């Protein structure tokens, strides 16, 4: 795509973990990017870092999409954008159990305000950031997109499941609007530049940042939530995927919506590698790539954790022509590199 034909894409939550990596991949694929983020769980510094990586500055707007009027004005101002990728949402599972109303209010209002503004302004291409959590405890593995969704364990997970349903109902009511929901498995890793990565606020919920923070001395030890699952070593199996691979899938998804011959009203794709690794596999690989022993202890199971979760990747391969390329060692070494860079800078 050359400059004259560059399409503009709006990325909500573009300063967050997956959003920021997607901004970079979009820019490197020739898109002009407009980032909207309220910085509630991210920093505008991410924008400067992406400029260092790509040499291109996205437009940045600091805005809370829950504010209906402000949201509409923002979309009106950038009406020429050819698509929207919607990441902006709260995402901490534990916090969502403590503050369900905050999660429902934030994740639904921002989605509905974006869809309403787009509808009014006849902006028609939408990518939704969903999650494998919508599968609940799956009946069959690997999980295909046609698997029945189940009520997720957490309010956070439920916002993803219900948001998909809202999106489907909205699509059924219009003839022009088209959307793709991307169901992420377990995104980990960081950009090769070491400049951007995952930066959870407070105590991490997720395994990978907990491991790197423990190794960096920020946390005392990793607690492994149960080793009595019916898996090879007793710890749960997940499908970890490199965040840059995930970001690239968003680029092909938006390209699909912009291609009149390929675009469908609504499609759903799993984004994973299709390979399952246990918590112990992740720890072992971390110890190999970092050359460092990790302090950990086995504790009770975490409520809501399922023993196995890994994706069927056939549909994404067939329709999007996308497959994840990076292996577990690459994912983990990039996470570790990012953590070390970040800690060194902030000493
Ligand atoms: N996990 C763990 N200790 C932690 C965080 C996670 O043992 O401090 C385990 C968790 O039980 C699950 C796996 O790591 O089996 C991945 O958890 P994560 O929260 O990263 O992702 P989830 O699959 O729950 O979305």
């Amino acid at each position: 795509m050359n400059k004259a034909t560059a399409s503009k894409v709006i990325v909500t939550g573009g300063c967050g973990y997956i959003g920021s990596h997607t901004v970079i991949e979009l820019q490197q694929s020739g898109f002009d990017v407009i980032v909207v983020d309220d910085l509630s769980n991210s920093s505008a510094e991410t924008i400067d870092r992406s400029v260092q990586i790509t040499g291109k500055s996205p437009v940045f707007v600091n805005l809370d999409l829950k504010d209906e009027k402000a949201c509409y004005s923002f979309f009106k101002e950038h009406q020429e954008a050819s698509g929207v990728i919607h990441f902006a949402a709260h995402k901490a599972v534990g916090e969502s159990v403590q503050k369900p109303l905050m999660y429902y209010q934030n994740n639904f209002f921002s989605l509905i305000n974006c869809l309403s503004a787009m509808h009014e302004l006849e902006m028609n291409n939408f990518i939704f950031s969903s999650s494998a959590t919508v599968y609940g405890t799956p009946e069959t593995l690997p999980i295909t997109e046609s698997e029945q969704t189940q009520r997720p364990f957490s309010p956070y997970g439920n916002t993803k499941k219900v948001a998909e349903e809202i999106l489907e109902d909205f699509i059924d009511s219009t003839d022009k609007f088209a959307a793709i929901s991307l169901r992420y498995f377990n995104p980990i890793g960081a950009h090769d530049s070491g400049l951007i990565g995952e930066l959870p606020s407070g105590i991490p919920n997720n395994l990978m940042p907990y491991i790197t923070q423990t190794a960096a001395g920020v946390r005392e030890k990793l607690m492994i939530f149960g080793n009595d699952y019916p898996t090879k070593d007793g710890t749960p199996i997940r499908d970890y995927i490199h965040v840059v691979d995930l970001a690239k899938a968003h680029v092909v998804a938006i390209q699909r919506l912009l291609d009149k011959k390929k675009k469908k009203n609504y499609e759903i794709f799993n984004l994973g590698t299709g390979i399952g690794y246990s918590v112990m596999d992740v720890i072992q690989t971390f110890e190999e790539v970092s050359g460092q022993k990790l302090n950990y202890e086995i504790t009770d199971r975490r409520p809501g954790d399922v023993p196995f979760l890994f994706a069927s990747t056939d549909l994404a391969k067939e329709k999007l022509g996308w497959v994840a390329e990076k292996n577990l060692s690459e994912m983990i070494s990039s996470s570790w590199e990012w953590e070390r860079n970040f800690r060194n800078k902030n000493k």
Side-chain angles (χ1 to χ4, degrees):
M1 201 182 293
N2 63 37
K3 193 85 191 140
T5 59
S7 267
K8 289 189 184 174
V9 176
I10 291 173
V11 179
T12 79
C15 293
Y17 175 43
I18 304 170
S20 59
H21 288 83
T22 302
V23 168
I24 289 167
E25 295 305 316
L26 284 165
Q27 290 184 318
Q28 291 181 335
S29 304
F31 288 96
D32 287 336
V33 179
I34 301 147
V35 170
V36 53
D37 200 303
D38 68 358
L39 304 180
S40 58
N41 190 24
S42 59
S43 154
E45 217 187 291
T46 314
I47 299 284
D48 303 333
R49 303 215 173 163
S50 68
V51 177
Q52 282 183 52
I53 296 166
T54 64
K56 283 167 88 174
S57 241
V59 172
F60 171 61
V61 181
N62 182 346
L63 180 85
D64 182 350
L65 295 164
K66 287 198 298 301
D67 179 339
E68 192 180 349
K69 280 200 180 120
C71 176
Y72 179 80
S73 305
F74 164 77
F75 275 89
K76 183 141 182 69
E77 170 104 24
H78 299 285
Q79 202 174 351
E80 77 285 4
S82 50
V84 176
I85 306 182
H86 184 58
F87 292 105
H90 290 333
K91 61 170 188 179
V93 172
E95 186 185 48
S96 79
V97 176
Q98 303 300 320
K99 300 176 184 169
L101 297 183
M102 183 178 105
Y103 269 67
Y104 288 122
Q105 188 177 48
N106 184 70
N107 294 5
F108 291 153
F109 286 5
S110 57
L111 170 72
I112 292 166
N113 288 343
C114 288
L115 295 178
S116 304
M118 289 179 71
H119 185 48
E120 199 140 323
L121 297 162
E122 296 190 13
M123 299 166 75
N124 292 317
N125 297 314
F126 191 77
I127 307 282
F128 180 63
S129 171
S130 190
S131 164
T133 187
V134 301
Y135 293 117
T137 306
E139 306 283 317
T140 49
L141 288 158
I143 310 158
T144 62
E145 291 81 349
S146 55
E147 182 82 8
Q148 192 60 41
T149 58
Q150 296 172 15
R151 193 190 196 290
F153 174 73
S154 71
Y156 154 75
N158 205 33
T159 68
K160 293 296 176 189
K161 177 176 177 285
V162 177
E164 284 193 8
E165 291 162 1
I166 292 171
L167 195 53
E168 263 188 90
D169 287 343
F170 173 57
I171 288 163
D172 285 347
S173 74
T174 69
D175 27 317
K176 287 197 194 127
F177 195 86
I180 292 177
S181 286
L182 298 174
R183 292 177 177 163
Y184 313 150
F185 281 68
N186 288 61
I188 61 170
H191 197 263
D192 274 350
S193 61
L195 288 170
I196 59 166
E198 186 171 14
L199 203 54
S201 60
I203 302 170
N205 285 286
N206 298 111
L207 180 63
M208 198 65 238
Y210 213 107
I211 289 178
T212 56
Q213 287 194 10
T214 303
V218 183
R219 311 276 154 213
E220 195 203 330
K221 72 168 83 144
L222 170 78
M223 304 307 286
I224 297 179
F225 299 139
N227 68 348
D228 56 353
Y229 286 93
T231 61
K232 58 175 186 172
D233 58 26
T235 61
I237 304 281
R238 294 288 180 275
D239 185 338
Y240 296 92
I241 173 167
H242 198 297
V243 67
V244 172
D245 278 329
L246 200 71
K248 287 180 176 162
H250 292 74
V251 177
V252 288
I254 199 81
Q255 284 166 339
R256 183 171 175 84
L257 288 182
L258 298 181
D259 182 339
K260 287 201 175 68
K261 285 194 214 115
K262 290 189 178 158
K263 129 184 227 180
K264 301 267 184 302
N265 287 351
Y266 184 49
E267 290 178 296
I268 297 172
F269 296 105
N270 285 341
L271 298 182
T273 63
I275 305 168
Y277 289 104
S278 71
V279 173
M280 288 315 297
D281 288 333
V282 174
I283 293 173
Q284 201 186 345
T285 310
F286 175 80
E287 290 183 338
E288 275 161 27
V289 303
S290 67
Q292 194 167 323
K293 280 267 160 231
L294 189 77
N295 190 18
Y296 64 82
E297 190 182 312
I298 312 288
T299 182
D300 294 342
R301 290 183 180 195
R302 182 172 66 177
D305 276 346
V306 297
F308 296 95
L309 204 59
F310 53 93
S312 162
T313 57
D314 294 347
L315 198 66
K317 189 174 178 185
E318 184 196 326
K319 306 271 183 196
L320 297 175
W322 171 90
V323 281
E325 285 165 0
K326 294 185 187 264
N327 65 30
L328 190 67
S329 295
E330 292 170 297
M331 299 179 210
I332 293 178
S333 56
S334 67
S335 285
W336 180 225
E337 182 69 17
W338 155 251
E339 184 77 51
R340 278 193 311 174
N341 274 352
F342 179 77
R343 298 295 156 195
N344 281 339
K345 271 195 207 106
N346 292 281
K347 257 183 192 161

